Amino acid sequence: MAKISIAGSAVIITSDISLDNLKLIQKYRPQALNLKDEEGKTTLFAVATGESGSVTKYGAVFNGFTRDTEKKATITIMKNDLPAEADKAKAEIADEFGTALNFINKLEALLPAVVEEINTEHAAIMAAIDVQ
C-alpha cells in the first residue's frame, strides 16, 4: 500500500511496488498500469515512470530513480506553501493527493500478478533460446 510522507516542503509518495518492477511492467505490459472503469472502456487513472514525479487526478508519474533502501518507486513533489501545523499540512495533502493515492493503491493490488506473469513468460523464452 502506497504511503505519503512530508519532510519539510517535500511531499513523498512511496509505492509498495519497486521501481524496477514498475519499469518492467511499463516495458512489457503498459496497459496494466491503467486503471479502467467497470466496463473496461475508460481509463480512470494511469501510472508511469519518468524523469520527475508528478500527480494529477488522472495519473501519477514516479521518479525514474530512487534512493529508497528498498528500491520502492517514489514521487517527490515540493510544496513550499504547506501549513506549519502538522494536522493542517496532513489535511491539505489528503485533499490534494488522496484520490490519486486511492487509485495507486488499487493498481498496486493488481501489479504483483502482472510481474509474476512477465517473469514466467521471460523464463520460458529464455529456456527456449539455444546458444551454440
Side-chain angles (χ1 to χ4, degrees), residues 69-129:
T69 56
E70 296 180 333
K71 304 295 184 201
K72 301 293 184 181
T74 61
I75 300 169
T76 304
I77 300 166
M78 298 307 293
K79 296 285 293 175
N80 295 324
D81 58 349
L82 283 175
E85 185 181 320
D87 286 341
K88 288 182 180 179
K90 287 169 70 172
E92 187 173 312
I93 295 304
D95 285 345
E96 187 169 348
F97 300 112
T99 300
L101 190 67
N102 284 333
F103 282 136
I104 291 169
N105 286 330
K106 286 179 182 181
L107 273 171
E108 282 184 352
L110 305 172
L111 296 181
V114 176
V115 170
E116 185 176 324
E117 182 180 284
I118 292 168
N119 287 337
T120 299
E121 288 175 3
H122 187 264
I125 290 167
M126 293 292 287
I129 298 172

